[in-house]
Amino acid sequence: MNSHVTTNAAPLPFIDIAAQRARLGSRVDEAVTRVLTHCRFVNGPEVTELEKQLAEFAGARHAISCSSGTDALAMLLMAWGVGPGDAVFCPSFTFCATAEVVPWVGATPVFVDVLPDTFNMDPASLEAAIAVAERQGLTPRVVIPVDLFGQPADMDAIGAIARARNLKVLCDTAQGFGATWNGKRTGSFGDASATSFFPAKPLGCFGDGGAVFTDDDDLVPVLKSVREHGQGVDKYENVRIGMTGRLDTIQAAILLEKLAIFEDEIAARDRAAKRYNAALADVCIVPVVDPRATSIWAQYTIRLPQGVRDDLGAALQKEGVPTAVYYRIPMHKQPAYAQYPSAGNGLPVSEALSGEVISLPMHAYLDEASQDRIIAAVRRALGK
Ligand SMILES: *Cc1c(COP(=O)(O)O)cnc(C)c1O
């Protein structure tokens, strides 16, 4: 491998949205122009078509598009009538939106620790969190497993606990859409799933967007009502408290073009992740994928001993290799969330990971030469 420092090479992107734009050619522009021509900017035909194709892709009976991943989570809590006195179990090591929607409906987030290898919800910690919630007089209602960095949470173990405790399972697959568990796609597990089409997610639009997936026929009209200000049969009758939760037609048109190449991109991401694993396993802890899972590699996240990752990030920055830290502060330590209960013991794994993790550039257009440059820079920075 090249040993000299390539400081004058152009900086690499963390996610290469421009490369995807180039690959799609004029297809996205034409799709947007079609919407600009028919002018059905809200609830247009592309929205209906996208929902059909998303449901097929995920293997779910229904896909309900919406304005963001955060709103997808909120719409489900609202549709289920989750509220004051209810406990909703969230991993502490996640993006804030997983827990943010819980106080929106007046319920209490209860933080659960994660597993050190997969970064996903620890079923034993979930059991402990349920006991804490009950001791505090809360009613356990919903568990939100997160498919962190693209790998599905342990649906078998979490599903078994949820069935035994009569909890709803809301899968937060904002980072995991396109991954599989036991050969089935995310979006087809639990009582419902929420995903995000934020541009940086594996399937992203050109703005904000999201979707809910469910097999529950009765939930669909409720979700659609929540999405449109709680409307009843008549548009101007309000039968519940809702929101403006729709996906723009323009974003749906863009997503239809991107969904058409998504399978291909999934394969490219997986190739890149496997090359990283092979080249870095001797210098850091590389990501571990459960044998029942495939990851969509929303992030490629390595672990280093405490105190090392920020120096690595600074050294890579000098070589034009961007990195990111997801997440520096676990949710139970965030100022706005520290008041809420957690499973106990200080959630040691979430706390340790928040000091160890760093993510390397990962996208479907990471060519081998760029990747080799990143790998060489990481090895050099770690003195290997
Ligand atoms: C991105 C993300 C969300 C929120 O999605 P938005 O579309 O940005 O609202 C929720 N949960 C997780 C785990 C995420 O990564």
Side-chain angles (χ1 to χ4, degrees):
M1 208 164 277
N2 208 346
S3 67
H4 69 270
V5 179
T6 52
T7 38
N8 48 14
L12 294 169
F14 190 68
I15 295 172
D16 200 342
I17 290 174
Q20 188 196 49
R21 277 278 288 146
R23 170 179 175 177
L24 285 164
S26 59
R27 290 207 294 282
V28 167
D29 307 62
E30 286 159 14
V32 171
T33 302
R34 281 196 296 276
V35 180
L36 296 178
T37 307
H38 69 51
C39 290
R40 294 178 61 190
F41 300 122
V42 171
N43 293 341
E46 286 83 356
V47 174
T48 314
E49 178 59 25
L50 177 69
E51 290 179 334
K52 181 171 150 265
Q53 291 193 20
L54 285 173
E56 264 165 33
F57 183 89
R61 283 176 63 85
H62 308 282
I64 297 98
S65 63
C66 65
S67 38
S68 71
T70 307
D71 290 343
L73 293 163
M75 279 166 51
L76 281 162
L77 297 184
M78 290 166 81
W80 285 332
V82 175
D86 291 337
V88 177
F89 302 94
C90 309
S92 180
F93 194 60
T94 183
F95 181 63
C96 62
T98 309
E100 185 180 28
V101 295
V102 179
W104 283 9
V105 297
T108 304
V110 181
F111 293 110
V112 179
D113 212 354
V114 296
L115 296 164
D117 52 353
T118 61
F119 309 124
N120 279 331
M121 185 179 274
D122 177 354
S125 182
L126 173 60
E127 293 272 27
I130 294 169
V132 166
E134 284 175 339
R135 274 204 299 280
Q136 298 200 6
L138 297 166
T139 307
R141 283 289 304 277
V142 180
V143 55
I144 311 186
V146 174
D147 301 340
L148 203 73
F149 305 149
Q151 171 170 202
D154 185 341
M155 292 302 153
D156 303 349
I158 293 167
I161 294 169
R163 275 191 299 279
R165 303 303 202 121
N166 203 21
L167 298 178
K168 294 235 185 262
V169 179
L170 194 184
C171 302
D172 179 347
T173 195
Q175 298 182 16
F177 189 63
T180 64
W181 179 262
N182 289 334
K184 288 174 63 194
R185 280 248 162 82
T186 54
S188 66
F189 314 126
D191 294 281
S193 302
T195 198
S196 164
F197 303 125
F198 182 77
K201 308 287 180 179
L203 179 64
C205 58
F206 289 166
D208 283 304
V212 170
F213 297 87
T214 186
D215 287 346
D216 182 348
D217 298 344
D218 297 334
L219 192 60
V220 176
V222 183
L223 286 166
K224 289 187 172 169
S225 165
V226 167
R227 185 173 69 176
E228 309 253 358
H229 302 290
Q231 77 180 23
V233 179
D234 180 89
K235 192 172 171 203
Y236 295 103
E237 182 198 20
N238 308 109
V239 297
R240 58 175 61 77
I241 303 299
M243 65 200 286
T244 310
R246 295 171 299 250
L247 179 74
D248 292 346
T249 309
I250 285 178
Q251 299 299 347
I254 293 165
L255 281 164
L256 280 167
E257 300 306 323
K258 294 214 192 188
L259 187 58
I261 59 165
F262 191 41
E263 292 275 11
D264 221 41
E265 293 186 336
I266 293 174
R269 285 173 170 279
D270 203 51
R271 275 196 302 277
K274 291 197 166 117
R275 281 191 92 238
Y276 269 143
N277 280 351
L280 296 174
D282 62 326
V283 296
C284 60
I285 302 179
V286 297
V288 177
V289 179
D290 187 292
R292 292 164 288 183
T294 60
S295 178
I296 179 76
W297 303 106
Q299 302 296 340
Y300 184 85
T301 304
I302 59 173
R303 284 169 64 196
L304 293 161
Q306 294 284 339
V308 174
R309 64 110 190 274
D310 289 329
D311 292 340
L312 175 68
L316 293 181
Q317 181 74 39
K318 284 201 193 105
E319 298 202 37
V321 174
T323 57
V325 173
Y326 306 114
Y327 296 94
R328 220 172 258 285
I329 308 174
M331 290 304 294
H332 72 286
K333 295 252 174 183
Q334 292 283 4
Y337 295 86
Q339 59 174 308
Y340 295 115
S342 63
N345 301 326
L347 307 185
V349 180
S350 297
E351 285 170 30
L353 288 175
S354 61
E356 296 175 2
V357 292
I358 184 164
S359 302
L360 302 179
M362 168 54 79
H363 53 86
Y365 303 90
L366 187 59
D367 60 75
E368 295 196 356
S370 302
Q371 194 175 24
D372 288 344
R373 185 178 145 198
I374 297 163
I375 290 163
V378 171
R379 297 188 68 92
R380 199 157 43 234
L382 295 173
K384 304 292 164 78

